[in-house]
Every structure is written in C-alpha cells, then in structure tokens.
Amino acid sequence: MYPDHTPPVPAQRAIEVHQPTPYPPAAMAPAPVVPVQPGTVPAVASIVLPDGRVVTGYAINPAHPEPATPKPAVSRAAVNVALGGVGFLAVCGGLILLTSFIAALTAFITQLIILAAVIFGGWVAVQLFSASGHQGGSTTVNIRKATFKRNKFFG
C-alpha cells in the first residue's frame, strides 16, 4: 500500500497521429471491357441522391420466390406410421409362426428322446431277464486242469 492510499500516476507521453496516404486516381487501372452480345446488355439506371451526387448502375430485377408446392392430402408422417404398423403386423405374424415351429420342433425332439429311452431300456431289460443260463445273478466258471505256479495261472 501507498502511504496516501493513491496509486502513482503514469508519466504523460505525446500522442502521435498517423494519417493514411491516399493513392492518386491516375494510379488506378481502368476496368477491363468485356465483350457482350447485342441485346443482352441490361438497362443502366441513374439515381440522384439528396446531396446532389449521381449514382449510376445496373437495375437489379427483384428475386421471385419459387411457387409453393401444394401439400398432399395425407401427411408423410401418417403414411410412415401406417406403413410401420403394417410392417409390425407382418413381423408379428412371422414371429407367431416361428414360435409355433420352435414349440413343434421341441415336442418332436422330446418324443424322439423318449422313444430312444424306451427302446434302449427294453433292450437292457431283455438282456438282464433273458433265460440264457444265468440264474440268481451268479456266474459259474468251470476250470479244468488249471495250474497255479508262483501266483501265475497256466490253463
């Protein structure tokens, strides 16, 4: 902080003014002349301004807006919604057929598995309960002239 609570004033410098240098009119190049077909030159208009100056230039034709296209009787959004509904119904019908097909295929595979289990179970039952000399579940082995020497079987 400063003792008198005021910041120091910067030193004043002299102000310099720069003026642009205009180009003399003789230094400007003349505009090129473009050949134009007769009858295609637009009309030239001159206007006198309130201060007495005259401005000359080509007349500009006003831009005409394009004619508005008539709107259809039915909006595009309504047509898109209707087409989307028809497509959704078609997909739903297809999905119903697909789920019906999957349910039928599942039932068919289940029946094939049950049929295989019944056939295999029947074959196992026939093998177990057939009258092929096996009774009571015991096995009879007839050994003739069997010789055991040093824990080896020679038959």
Side-chain angles (χ1 to χ4, degrees):
M1 292 304 280
Y2 300 101
D4 58 353
H5 300 290
T6 58
V9 178
Q12 296 287 334
R13 287 196 272 163
I15 298 174
E16 296 179 17
V17 178
H18 297 281
Q19 295 290 338
T21 306
Y23 288 114
M28 296 172 56
V33 178
V34 179
V36 179
Q37 297 290 336
T40 60
V41 178
V44 177
S46 296
I47 300 173
V48 179
L49 298 176
D51 61 355
R53 293 183 295 165
V54 178
V55 178
T56 304
Y58 294 107
I60 299 174
N61 295 330
H64 298 290
E66 294 184 20
T69 56
K71 290 189 176 183
V74 179
S75 69
R76 290 184 182 264
V79 171
N80 290 339
V81 169
L83 289 176
V86 169
F88 182 73
L89 288 177
V91 168
C92 286
L95 288 176
I96 289 172
L97 290 176
L98 182 65
T99 54
S100 300
F101 174 74
I102 291 173
L105 185 64
T106 305
F108 178 70
I109 291 173
T110 304
Q111 289 177 357
L112 285 179
I113 292 172
I114 292 172
L115 180 65
V118 168
I119 291 174
F120 183 71
W123 180 77
V124 169
V126 166
Q127 295 299 320
L128 288 177
F129 299 117
S130 65
S132 63
H134 300 291
Q135 308 225 351
S138 62
T139 305
T140 304
V141 178
N142 295 322
I143 300 176
R144 297 181 187 163
K145 298 181 182 178
T147 307
F148 286 95
K149 292 183 179 177
R150 296 185 186 166
N151 295 329
K152 292 188 179 178
F153 174 74
F154 297 96

